[in-house]
Amino acid sequence: GIIMFEHVDAYAGDPIFSLVEQFMKDPREDKVNLTIGFYFDEDGKVPNFSSVDKAKVWAADNPPASPVYLPMDGLPDYRVAVKSLAFGDALPLVDSRLASTQSLGGSGALKVGADLLKRYFPDSELWVSDPTWENHHSIFKGAGVKVNTYRYYNPQTKMLDFSGMLEDLNQLPEKAIVLLHPCCHNPTGIDLTNEQWQQVVDVVKQRNLLAFFDMAYQGFGFGLNEDTQAIKLMAESGQPFLLAQSFSKIFSLYSERVGALYVVCESPETAETIQGQLKFTVRTNYSTPPSSGARLVNHVLASDALTDEWKTELEVMRERMHTMRQQLVTKLGELRPDVDFSYLAAQVGMFSYTGFSPEQIKRLKDEFGVYLIASGRMCVAGLNTRNIEATAKAFAAVC
Ligand code: PMP
């Protein structure tokens, strides 16, 4: 017979998605899902924003004037609206030397950025934090970029290894690409202080490195403005950099695939050239982006009333995650005063790194029905007032 695809390896699947499947099949009623990075509300549901729902009603009543393709770099109004959100009051520092494109979520922004960098910085390698979101490795490797790590998490202290991070960045060759999480680090929940960010920005500038920020959780940390401090410091430095922005979580538009990629260039002239190359990169990947998600985000951001409503809803999410994290730490302190859980309280955003060993993770799942991913990352948004007690008891039992 014909031999064609027989040499193809099976895809092992994504371990997080497999674990979610296992969770779904688990018959225990009191099981707790702290695995996948979705924002769950108090009822354990992934909610829609009412502000975005209103935009959906508007969109249904106001279809695009013409059904033709969007420009390769996306909906023009959207590109204007979302850059204000990403850069805030630092926008005037970069606006004249900014290239940008709508993207297929944060992942699509990373991929277009990786392709662009591979083409024009073929000798540059990427450095990501150890650990980082697993797909950072895969997306950049997929674009042909070699991926290395810089020190970030110290398993002994369960805190940031900032001196290790700085030491590693200080040894990178010129034009090395450095992936940075401006807020709500995935998977650890450990962020830098503004003073530490300033030191990182100084090293990036001194060594002429190319920072690539990946911002998937703006507003989940301390606030929309607060969470962009690192980006503002980089903007002030004058150093060129890239930024990937995602609206999957912060607009609950996961499946619409909506985000943006920014390239802050050294001059308006190079920004214009890069704008063209962004279009080319999109053209050679998927030609042009879809319009629905971008129209929704743009509609919310174009209306002061809807923007205020969206901001309030985002704040409720942020506050809820913060409260759940604090309550978990308080309960753990009562159950196990002999163990220091303060590191959990210091973490920020949707994730926490528990520091649990693979054996502890297995016991949590097998004995208590509490599911964390293998690295020990917990999705804090999976906690609610009904499961937090049981989660704290399970954590206390395996320590
Ligand atoms: N970056 C990080 C750090 C993420 O955690 C994620 C996914 N949650 C993304 C990028 C990609 O998000 P998107 O769904 O918008 O592609």
Side-chain angles (χ1 to χ4, degrees), residues 127 150-151 162-173 178 180 199-201 203-204 207 209:
W127 272 263
Y150 58 81
R151 278 173 282 172
F162 186 63
S163 54
M165 177 182 181
L166 269 194
E167 222 174 276
D168 288 350
L169 297 185
N170 251 313
Q171 278 163 20
L172 298 190
V178 183
L180 299 163
Q199 292 184 60
V200 168
V201 168
V203 172
V204 166
R207 300 199 67 81
L209 308 177

Side-chain angles (χ1 to χ4, degrees), residues 285-356:
N285 263 293
Y286 51 84
S287 201
T288 83
S291 69
S292 308
R295 292 185 82 226
L296 298 177
V297 170
N298 184 47
H299 186 71
V300 171
L301 295 179
S303 146
D304 287 343
L306 286 183
T307 300
D308 285 348
E309 188 175 337
W310 167 70
K311 283 182 181 170
T312 305
E313 296 185 273
L314 193 62
E315 202 173 303
V316 168
M317 291 175 156
R318 174 172 68 246
E319 288 297 318
R320 199 188 82 75
M321 289 188 282
H322 184 72
T323 305
M324 285 298 114
R325 186 194 301 281
Q326 299 307 319
Q327 282 185 13
L328 181 67
V329 174
T330 304
K331 285 182 200 297
L332 284 170
E334 287 160 14
L335 293 165
R336 290 298 300 268
D338 56 317
V339 184
D340 181 10
F341 288 105
S342 56
Y343 66 93
L344 283 178
Q347 295 167 352
V348 179
M350 200 157 81
F351 300 115
S352 260
Y353 226 40
T354 59
F356 291 151

Side-chain angles (χ1 to χ4, degrees), residues 162-218:
F162 186 63
S163 54
M165 177 182 181
L166 269 194
E167 222 174 276
D168 288 350
L169 297 185
N170 251 313
Q171 278 163 20
L172 298 190
E174 204 187 351
K175 296 183 183 170
I177 309 157
V178 183
L179 195 125
L180 299 163
H181 305 223
C183 62
C184 308
H185 185 271
N186 180 7
T188 67
I190 301 171
D191 284 352
L192 275 64
T193 64
N194 289 347
E195 291 70 31
Q196 288 171 330
W197 275 122
Q198 186 61 62
Q199 292 184 60
V200 168
V201 168
D202 291 345
V203 172
V204 166
K205 185 160 183 173
Q206 275 157 21
R207 300 199 67 81
N208 201 22
L209 308 177
L210 193 44
F212 196 151
F213 286 106
D214 179 18
M215 183 161 65
Y217 305 96
Q218 186 186 2

Side-chain angles (χ1 to χ4, degrees), residues 36-279:
I36 197 164
F38 293 153
Y39 175 83
F40 298 96
D41 64 14
E42 170 62 23
D43 297 325
K45 299 216 168 66
V46 180
N48 285 310
F49 286 73
S50 74
S51 49
V52 179
D53 281 344
K54 287 176 188 164
K56 286 177 188 167
V57 171
W58 166 84
D61 292 340
N62 296 275
S66 158
V68 300
Y69 297 121
L70 288 189
M72 295 169 224
D73 51 8
L75 200 65
D77 290 351
Y78 165 88
R79 286 177 46 226
V80 172
V82 295
K83 70 181 176 183
S84 293
L85 196 61
F87 293 94
D89 51 24
L91 184 62
L93 298 175
V94 297
D95 207 12
S96 67
R97 52 191 174 101
L98 190 63
S100 76
T101 179
Q102 184 183 324
S103 67
L104 305 182
S107 306
L110 291 165
K111 168 67 172 151
V112 169
D115 282 350
L116 180 83
L117 293 177
K118 179 65 192 172
R119 200 155 67 246
Y120 292 102
F121 299 81
D123 300 325
S124 289
E125 298 179 4
L126 174 74
W127 272 263
V128 298
S129 59
D130 179 18
T132 193
W133 184 47
E134 249 335 286
N135 215 16
H136 285 147
H137 289 270
S138 310
I139 289 175
F140 281 86
K141 268 186 216 157
V145 179
K146 181 160 187 287
V147 183
N148 312 276
T149 60
Y150 58 81
R151 278 173 282 172
Y152 194 81
Y153 178 73
N154 179 341
Q156 269 78 49
T157 60
K158 301 190 166 97
M159 301 278 199
L160 179 68
D161 178 4
F162 186 63
S163 54
M165 177 182 181
L166 269 194
E167 222 174 276
D168 288 350
L169 297 185
N170 251 313
Q171 278 163 20
L172 298 190
E174 204 187 351
K175 296 183 183 170
I177 309 157
V178 183
L179 195 125
L180 299 163
H181 305 223
C183 62
C184 308
H185 185 271
N186 180 7
T188 67
I190 301 171
D191 284 352
L192 275 64
T193 64
N194 289 347
E195 291 70 31
Q196 288 171 330
W197 275 122
Q198 186 61 62
Q199 292 184 60
V200 168
V201 168
D202 291 345
V203 172
V204 166
K205 185 160 183 173
Q206 275 157 21
R207 300 199 67 81
N208 201 22
L209 308 177
L210 193 44
F212 196 151
F213 286 106
D214 179 18
M215 183 161 65
Y217 305 96
Q218 186 186 2
F220 273 13
F222 294 102
L224 284 168
N225 182 39
E226 291 81 350
D227 291 354
T228 60
Q229 285 310 309
I231 293 161
K232 288 184 182 151
L233 293 174
M234 195 66 81
E236 282 167 13
S237 78
Q239 182 72 3
F241 64 98
L242 284 82
L243 166 63
Q245 179 184 33
S246 166
F247 294 111
S248 301
K249 320 277 150 109
I250 69 168
F251 273 81
S252 213
L253 286 172
Y254 302 81
S255 65
E256 297 295 340
R257 312 310 296 134
V258 51
L261 172 69
Y262 304 90
V263 186
V264 178
C265 302
E266 63 271 53
S267 68
E269 292 73 30
T270 53
E272 208 176 307
T273 313
I274 291 293
Q275 187 64 37
Q277 289 302 335
L278 285 176
K279 288 187 199 170

